[in-house]
């Protein structure tokens, strides 16, 4: 499973590295150290935590999340596969984005919970890029 540094997690959560570090220090999200001593967060743990952060931020007054060319980098929080279609959820900071796409596309991209991905929005369609 993919792991993320505090800085990478902060970018995916839409917060500063200091905020992500404080959350880790407070035990809100579990970390472990790699062979060089860097603190890392497991991808599945970060996915679950990003949902928690997104839900708690939804009720607060917040600064608008902006992106260039309607790209929302985030973390995959759910993948539901059907026979032909699939549903992928991404938490991008306080935003939860859901895309309906083909099962084949999900399999070709290798999308799974805990990995980074970017949702690109055009009109009413959400397209997923693996990052």
């Amino acid at each position: 499973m993919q792991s993320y540094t505090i800085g990478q997690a902060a970018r995916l959560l839409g917060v500063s590295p200091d905020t992500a570090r404080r959350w880790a220090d407070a035990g809100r999200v579990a970390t472990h150290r790699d062979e060089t001593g860097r603190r890392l967060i497991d991808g599945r743990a970060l996915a679950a935590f990003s949902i928690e952060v997104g839900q708690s931020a939804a009720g607060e007054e917040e600064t608008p999340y902006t992106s260039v060319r309607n790209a929302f980098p985030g973390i995959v929080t759910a993948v539901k596969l059907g026979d032909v279609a699939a549903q992928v959820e991404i938490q991008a900071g306080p935003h939860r984005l859901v895309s309906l796409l083909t099962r084949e596309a999900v399999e070709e991209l290798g999308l799974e919970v805990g990995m980074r991905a970017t949702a690109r929005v055009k009109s009413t369609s959400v397209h997923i890029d693996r990052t």
Side-chain angles (χ1 to χ4, degrees):
M1 173 48 56
Q2 187 166 357
S3 292
Y4 299 92
T5 65
I6 296 288
Q8 291 170 324
R11 280 189 296 281
L12 292 169
L13 294 168
V15 298
S16 72
D18 285 337
T19 297
R21 196 172 294 105
R22 281 192 299 272
W23 286 343
D25 291 345
R28 290 189 61 192
V29 62
T31 63
H32 63 277
R33 297 207 181 257
D34 68 5
E35 61 281 350
T36 65
R38 289 185 312 164
R39 289 172 64 184
L40 300 175
I41 301 171
D42 174 74
R44 288 192 182 274
L46 183 60
F49 183 65
S50 70
I51 292 170
E52 177 188 324
V53 169
Q55 289 172 343
S56 66
E60 301 173 4
E61 190 172 324
E62 55 192 55
T63 304
Y65 181 80
T66 61
S67 67
V68 177
R69 298 184 182 151
N70 300 320
F72 294 86
I75 187 166
V76 176
T77 58
V79 176
K80 298 174 187 166
L81 296 174
D83 291 337
V84 176
Q87 178 178 315
V88 176
E89 295 181 23
I90 292 178
Q91 191 72 38
H95 305 288
R96 176 179 164 262
L97 297 116
V98 179
S99 178
L100 300 176
L101 57 164
T102 65
R103 178 187 182 119
E104 180 181 8
V106 171
E107 290 171 346
E108 285 178 4
L109 291 169
L111 296 175
E112 60 183 44
V113 172
M115 72 184 323
R116 288 185 300 174
T118 300
R120 297 194 186 275
V121 180
K122 179 177 181 195
S123 186
T124 59
S125 300
V126 177
H127 304 269
I128 306 295
D129 295 339
R130 180 175 174 178
T131 52

